[in-house]
Amino acid sequence: MTTPSDEAGFSMIELMTVLIITGILFAVTVPAFRGLSGSQDLKSASKIIATQLSLAHEKAISTGTTQTVRFMANYGGTSDYHIWANNVASPSWKLPRSVTYFWGSGTQNTYRMSSDGRCLDTGMIILQNDRGDRDTVSVRYSGLVIVY
């Protein structure tokens, strides 16, 4: 015959202690993962914008026509930046939800890549995430695009 103290298992106190510790760990790690995700969204958005500007630069040279890239938040409810040709925004792209434009001194919303390889405009596109971190894409008259 066995007594209650001889039975294997966990007491209610032990189970509650494990649940409380698990809850505390979960509460601490979730915000850290969200912050990491927001930071990665910002970096990837900057790199994608730089790539699209470089592709517009290359297309202008290869086709012999000026390529205009415009940056306008929620343009037509469908895009945040796009190639502007013949009064049509196509193709177009959206920024990640946690990333927005930061408009300040030196920022520009339109860049025209010319067929001779130069950019007719110079300036910066500054992106900001919901934590206030910023990334900058710089466009030079030479057509060079830099992320920093």
Side-chain angles (χ1 to χ4, degrees), residues 15-147:
L15 287 174
M16 292 303 276
T17 303
V18 168
L19 286 175
I20 289 171
I21 291 171
T22 303
I24 290 170
L25 287 173
F26 188 72
V28 170
T29 57
V30 168
F33 282 119
R34 285 188 182 162
L36 179 63
S37 173
S39 178
Q40 291 301 336
D41 285 348
L42 179 64
K43 289 187 183 312
S44 70
S46 298
K47 289 178 183 176
I48 291 169
I49 284 175
T51 301
Q52 292 302 336
L53 284 162
S54 295
L55 287 172
H57 177 249
E58 293 172 15
K59 186 173 180 182
I61 294 169
S62 66
T63 63
T65 59
T66 299
Q67 296 292 307
T68 302
V69 184
R70 293 173 65 189
F71 298 89
M72 305 173 85
N74 206 26
Y75 179 78
T78 59
S79 73
D80 291 317
Y81 58 104
H82 54 268
I83 303 294
W84 186 253
N86 301 320
N87 295 324
V88 176
S90 179
S92 61
W93 303 272
K94 292 284 288 172
L95 292 171
R97 271 185 277 166
S98 63
V99 177
T100 59
Y101 294 117
F102 174 83
W103 298 110
S105 179
T107 58
Q108 183 92 359
N109 72 345
T110 302
Y111 295 91
R112 296 166 295 155
M113 302 295 184
S114 66
S115 60
D116 64 1
R118 292 180 295 142
C119 182
L120 302 175
D121 312 285
T122 186
M124 301 177 291
I125 301 106
I126 301 174
L127 301 176
Q128 178 173 303
N129 66 12
D130 49 10
R131 292 186 331 179
D133 300 329
R134 293 182 186 156
D135 251 3
T136 302
V137 178
S138 177
V139 184
R140 310 287 170 89
Y141 283 125
S142 65
L144 180 65
V145 179
I146 304 169
V147 178

